[in-house]
Amino acid sequence: MTKGGKGSKGAKASSNGNTDNPDNPPKDPQAEEQARIEAEEKARQEAAEKAKREAEQNEAAKRAARRAAQKNREAERRQTEAVAKLRQELKAGRLAICVGSGSTISAVPNEFDRLTWLGLIQNGLDFLDDQAKQIGEDNALDVERAQELLSSKNWNEKDILDAAARLQAVLSKRPDLYSDWLKNSFKTLSSYVTNTAILESLRRLNKSGASLLTTNYDDLIEKYCKLSPLDRLDPYGMQSYSRGTSHSVFHPHGYWRNAETVVLSAKDYWDVVANSNVQECLKNTFRNKTVLFVGCGGGLNDPNFGQLLKWVGEQYKTRGASHYILLRKGEASPVTNLPLSLLRCESFADISRWLMDLLDESERVDGAIDEIPENSKRRTIERWLSPVDQSGFLKDHYDIPGIDNFEDVLLKQKGDGGVWDLVNGEIQPVWVTGKSPGFGKTMLCSSVIKNTQESCKLGNYQRARDSLAYFFCSTYDSHHRFPTPVTYSFNQFCRTVIAQLCPPNQVFPVLQDLYTKCTKYHPSRLPTDNELKDVLLKILDHLCHQSVPTNGDTIEPGETYIIIDAIDAITIDQRQAYTQFIEDIIEKKYPHFHILISSTWEDKLMTWFGAIGSWTRIDCDPDSVQDLIHRYTTAGMYDRLIDENLIRDEGLLRWTYEQLVNSQKGQVITTFRWIYWKIQDLKKLDNVTKDMIDAVLRPESRKRKLSEEGEDPAHYNAVSDILNKLLNKRNGQ
């Protein structure tokens, strides 16, 4: 019992934490507290250090962002100042533009492979093999070595010049072979032009006073700009060019028609260097003008361009950067050791937009189709499309007093700034409607067309041009009191809208394909409705999406606007084609696309508009256009009656105004056309009295009122007879 009791007591003591047990030492509360405090302090220090590091990183990121922003601002400032200087030089006639191979490649992109420096030499070797195979075999060592140099992955300028020299030497074995190759390469090059944008910009700049020179052998610039070529065989022409009196394009490295002037080898280059006339012409150009290099391709890796750039560097290395070179954004400068200021555009395809920005704002227009040289393809397709010319009908509405602010006044009650601003942040189709004709739907459409035309922007190096097309489904003679309306088919609609969307200097490939398809075997065949519709949808898809040139730079799309007036006037058999087309484009939900359609309230149209999607609706009815009717009447009266002193009595004038704008209280509903023709009638009166005015404005109600008041209708008949005689006299009857 005693032994067992002691054992239990020992076990109990052990369970209470015996300090003598090495495996379970007694806990020290004070030590534990200290450890906790130290752990918390360590955690606080680590958190503080982490916060400090994050703050330092954030501050470093902010400094980097500020530095990057400052760097970008400085780059933009330098670019802006450089452009401003180039504009000044252009105005002063001191701008010269030196064009490299990039301009030719951009104009004939489908011929890219044979127009680069490597491609040109390879083309010469292929020409030799095809046209003079025996000569090639007799000079196999030179031909094989040239092929080997062209095939090398690590080629340099020396290799290319060596290959070119070998090609030239072999071609020269037969006197006519070298010139035949150049003729074969460049004579018909202009027929392959598909993009005239850069050529058009050079033409505009040359017309504004810029001199043009090029390291290219071709004559695309001359043919497009209606200039003559100039090479070193014409020393007097080079003197005129230096004085700025020559309407020519200077080719310091030769022109294809004069084979002996073409710089193809190192020996040819030194011949140019040794030519005092060429050197003097270049020195005068670079001394007296500011030169802008564009389309330089590979820079110093392009032997032609590289040699000229090196020459510039040697001549002006101590004078500072007084000339400019235009490079693609992100492209490494090929002229780091030369005194040229660097300018940037998004891509080689954007050179034309960048150059157009050098012109005065008043000159930055697309131009009419017939004004653009070498535009025969565009003119041919324009004639083939035969679009409906509705410009006269539009002009008649432009001439209506108050048309300038029609859109603004009508939408003022909605609190909106314009038709296209009706939906915040979203593009939504617009429906202009009204219960009856004559309340300004066509006037509103005309106003929107005018305002949209003024706000449309030309393209630049980051963004494509805006596009606008309009179509009046029904037109009439605005100068005839009771005109007979003319309506148009869906085929005419498509042809007209396509022609308006197509830029003056460009033909969309899908349109070119359709033209070829229709005229290849049957020159007189016109496109069907479905063919035109398909092309129009493809054109809209192209205009409304980003464009990615071959070098990968993205060009943002411009805005595209289509305005269709009076769709209700279309006959039932034609309306189906119109409505199906509209359904198709609404369903596609094109980005950057805006459409406005006007019609009266027809049950079928109301149902159709409601079924195909959400529309922004603008009502043109007596209540909504009342303010515009007042403005229109005031403008018409001042234009027709007051300025010509036909009504001199102020009370009579006020009464006439009230009768014009408030005639809906009687039997006549006031519309814009009603007011227009009533003012025309009043203008024909010689002696204006209240009775005559009342007889003009409301002849039937006036006669009925006199009869109801017990007055002798003969009084009215007399006034009416006088009025009719006066009107007939003024009408020449």
Side-chain angles (χ1 to χ4, degrees):
M1 292 287 296
T2 304
K3 185 177 180 180
K6 289 181 179 179
S8 299
K9 185 176 181 180
K12 185 177 180 181
S14 176
S15 65
N16 289 333
N18 190 344
T19 58
D20 294 334
N21 188 343
D23 295 332
N24 190 17
K27 295 181 179 179
D28 185 351
Q30 188 174 0
E32 289 181 347
E33 180 64 19
Q34 183 64 30
R36 185 184 64 77
I37 293 173
E38 291 176 355
E40 290 179 352
E41 181 62 25
K42 182 179 179 181
R44 279 195 297 270
Q45 291 177 356
E46 291 177 349
E49 291 176 359
K50 181 180 180 181
K52 182 179 179 181
R53 287 195 303 271
E54 290 178 350
E56 290 174 348
Q57 291 173 354
N58 290 337
E59 185 59 32
K62 290 179 180 179
R63 287 197 300 271
R66 288 195 297 269
R67 181 72 188 92
Q70 182 182 3
K71 181 180 178 181
N72 290 335
R73 284 195 300 271
E74 283 299 296
E76 291 177 1
R77 179 186 62 80
R78 287 190 292 269
Q79 177 106 350
T80 301
E81 291 179 355
V83 170
K85 180 184 177 182
L86 290 173
R87 287 174 179 164
Q88 292 176 352
E89 296 295 272
L90 176 63
K91 289 181 179 179
R94 295 193 300 265
L95 178 64
I97 302 175
C98 185
V99 184
S101 59
S103 64
T104 297
I105 292 173
S106 71
V108 283
N110 295 332
E111 303 299 308
F112 175 87
D113 290 339
R114 71 180 176 97
L115 293 176
T116 63
W117 188 257
L118 285 175
L120 183 63
I121 305 303
Q122 184 61 61
N123 178 269
L125 293 171
D126 294 341
F127 178 84
L128 178 66
D129 183 63
D130 181 60
Q131 297 294 316
K133 192 176 184 67
Q134 186 60 49
I135 293 178
E137 292 176 351
D138 293 342
N139 297 270
L141 290 178
D142 281 330
V143 173
E144 291 173 1
R145 179 54 181 163
Q147 289 283 15
E148 181 182 343
L149 291 170
L150 294 179
S151 302
S152 174
K153 294 182 179 180
N154 300 315
W155 60 268
N156 54 36
E157 180 186 332
K158 182 179 178 181
D159 295 335
I160 299 302
L161 289 174
D162 187 6
R166 292 174 185 273
L167 171 64
Q168 186 182 44
V170 175
L171 289 174
S172 299
K173 298 294 182 179
R174 200 176 83 190
D176 65 312
L177 204 56
Y178 184 43
S179 59
D180 281 353
W181 168 58
L182 292 173
K183 177 181 178 180
N184 179 267
S185 298
F186 299 110
K187 182 178 181 179
T188 61
L189 188 61
S190 60
S191 64
Y192 295 94
V193 172
T194 58
N195 180 11
T196 61
I198 189 169
L199 297 174
E200 175 62 15
S201 62
L202 292 173
R203 184 186 74 85
R204 297 280 189 89
L205 289 167
N206 174 256
K207 190 176 180 180
S208 296
S211 301
L212 301 177
L213 64 156
T214 179
T215 56
N216 301 336
Y217 309 135
D218 62 75
D219 53 6
L220 292 186
I221 299 175
E222 288 92 323
K223 287 185 176 180
Y224 190 88
C225 300
K226 305 297 183 184
L227 301 172
S228 59
L230 174 66
D231 59 27
R232 66 176 184 264
L233 295 183
D234 185 359
Y236 297 108
M238 285 188 283
Q239 292 177 11
S240 297
Y241 183 88
S242 298
R243 293 193 300 267
T245 58
S246 173
H247 298 288
S248 58
V249 179
F250 181 34
H251 291 257
H253 288 173
Y255 170 54
W256 72 268
R257 288 186 182 275
N258 299 323
E260 64 271 34
T261 67
V262 172
V263 175
L264 199 63
S265 64
K267 178 183 178 301
D268 294 331
Y269 172 72
W270 288 112
D271 288 344
V272 171
V273 171
N275 189 297
S276 60
N277 292 321
V278 174
Q279 294 302 302
E280 187 65 25
C281 185
L282 288 174
K283 286 180 181 178
N284 287 333
T285 299
F286 283 90
R287 183 188 304 119
N288 301 324
K289 294 179 181 291
T290 296
V291 180
L292 172 65
F293 292 88
V294 299
C296 58
L300 295 177
N301 290 325
D302 180 337
N304 258 358
F305 219 96
Q307 296 291 357
L308 184 57
L309 292 176
K310 286 181 179 178
W311 181 87
V312 174
E314 292 169 358
Q315 297 292 320
Y316 298 93
K317 58 186 176 182
T318 61
R319 299 189 182 183
S322 57
H323 304 292
Y324 299 85
I325 183 169
L326 182 61
L327 300 173
R328 184 169 62 91
K329 185 177 181 180
E331 180 183 10
S333 172
V335 291
T336 54
N337 297 323
L338 301 182
L340 292 174
S341 296
L342 307 184
L343 300 171
R344 302 284 184 182
C345 66
E346 288 295 311
S347 68
F348 291 133
D350 292 315
I351 291 176
S352 59
R353 297 187 181 99
W354 196 96
L355 290 175
M356 290 292 280
D357 283 342
L358 297 180
L359 294 167
D360 282 338
E361 188 171 351
S362 61
E363 297 175 333
R364 295 177 216 162
V365 295
D366 281 338
I369 295 173
D370 293 332
E371 295 174 352
I372 302 174
E374 302 300 322
N375 209 18
S376 59
K377 182 184 297 185
R378 177 70 175 86
R379 288 192 288 269
T380 298
I381 290 182
E382 180 82 6
R383 289 192 295 269
W384 174 71
L385 282 173
S386 299
V388 180
D389 183 5
Q390 298 182 328
S391 58
F393 184 73
L394 180 62
K395 180 183 179 300
D396 287 343
H397 283 79
Y398 281 175
D399 292 338
I400 294 174
I403 189 68
D404 290 340
N405 61 354
F406 195 100
E407 176 187 352
D408 297 335
V409 174
L410 182 61
L411 300 181
K412 185 177 181 181
Q413 57 186 332
K414 297 178 177 289
D416 297 306
V419 163
W420 310 122
D421 304 325
L422 286 176
V423 181
N424 296 326
E426 295 183 7
I427 297 177
Q428 200 168 28
V430 180
W431 177 28
V432 177
T433 186
K435 293 182 179 179
S436 305
F439 286 101
K441 293 185 294 297
T442 300
M443 291 175 68
L444 175 59
C445 288
S446 302
S447 178
V448 172
I449 292 169
K450 186 175 188 295
N451 293 338
T452 304
Q453 282 178 328
E454 294 173 352
S455 65
C456 279
K457 301 175 182 177
L458 290 175
N460 56 41
Y461 62 88
Q462 294 177 320
R463 181 182 181 276
R465 70 195 290 274
D466 292 335
S467 302
L468 166 65
Y470 64 86
F471 193 77
F472 297 97
C473 296
S474 175
T475 60
Y476 49 85
D477 184 354
S478 302
H479 303 287
H480 196 283
R481 191 172 196 126
F482 303 105
T484 300
V486 178
T487 59
Y488 302 94
S489 68
F490 180 69
N491 194 283
Q492 291 173 302
F493 163 79
C494 288
R495 288 190 274 119
T496 303
V497 171
I498 289 173
Q500 291 179 15
L501 293 177
C502 195
N505 61 345
Q506 180 184 349
V507 176
F508 292 116
V510 291
L511 179 57
Q512 176 66 53
D513 292 343
L514 177 61
Y515 172 75
T516 302
K517 174 184 175 182
C518 289
T519 61
K520 186 174 183 179
Y521 300 110
H522 305 282
S524 61
R525 182 170 95 78
L526 294 175
T528 65
D529 289 6
N530 287 335
E531 288 174 333
L532 287 168
K533 175 184 172 182
D534 182 60
V535 166
L536 180 50
L537 290 174
K538 289 179 179 178
I539 290 174
L540 290 175
D541 185 76
H542 167 75
L543 291 174
C544 297
H545 290 87
Q546 291 179 334
S547 174
V548 182
T550 54
N551 55 18
D553 289 319
T554 298
I555 301 173
E556 292 297 321
E559 302 298 311
T560 299
Y561 304 88
I562 291 183
I563 299 167
I564 307 173
D565 178 54
I567 195 172
D568 56 292
I570 299 298
T571 57
I572 299 299
D573 60 320
Q574 285 288 328
R575 189 181 298 180
Q576 176 63 31
Y578 279 89
T579 55
Q580 185 59 54
F581 167 75
I582 294 170
E583 288 180 25
D584 289 343
I585 57 178
I586 296 299
E587 181 181 353
K588 291 180 181 295
K589 296 183 178 180
Y590 291 125
H592 305 279
F593 177 73
H594 314 262
I595 185 169
L596 181 150
I597 301 171
S598 79
S599 74
T600 55
W601 287 5
E602 281 188 17
D603 291 339
K604 290 184 178 180
L605 283 175
M606 294 279 287
T607 302
W608 174 73
F609 274 105
I612 65 173
S614 178
W615 292 77
T616 295
R617 176 170 154 177
I618 302 175
D619 290 326
C620 287
D621 52 39
D623 292 333
S624 62
V625 301
Q626 189 64 27
D627 189 25
L628 282 162
I629 286 178
H630 281 266
R631 291 169 180 260
Y632 177 74
T633 304
T634 301
M637 289 183 65
Y638 269 94
D639 181 44
R640 305 296 182 185
L641 304 178
I642 299 176
D643 283 353
E644 299 182 20
N645 290 320
L646 293 178
I647 301 179
R648 299 179 180 85
D649 181 79
E650 184 176 345
L652 182 59
L653 184 65
R654 186 179 298 109
W655 181 85
T656 304
Y657 173 83
E658 291 174 353
Q659 298 305 307
L660 281 168
V661 299
N662 295 321
S663 59
Q664 68 266 29
K665 294 178 181 179
Q667 299 297 314
V668 180
I669 298 178
T670 303
T671 65
F672 291 98
R673 283 187 57 78
W674 185 89
I675 291 175
Y676 172 81
W677 286 109
K678 291 303 179 182
I679 291 178
Q680 300 305 309
D681 289 343
L682 291 174
K683 186 181 176 182
K684 296 172 184 177
L685 300 177
D686 287 325
N687 183 22
V688 181
T689 65
K690 183 178 289 189
D691 284 337
M692 284 189 171
I693 293 173
D694 199 24
V696 167
L697 298 184
R698 291 177 294 188
E700 294 303 320
S701 62
R702 176 64 177 168
K703 185 175 181 179
R704 184 169 53 255
K705 181 180 179 182
L706 290 172
S707 178
E708 291 173 353
E709 293 176 353
E711 296 186 19
D712 185 1
H715 172 72
Y716 169 81
N717 292 333
V719 173
S720 181
D721 290 341
I722 294 173
L723 174 63
N724 288 331
K725 290 179 181 179
L726 287 170
L727 295 180
N728 291 335
K729 181 181 179 181
R730 288 300 179 95
N731 289 329
Q733 298 178 0

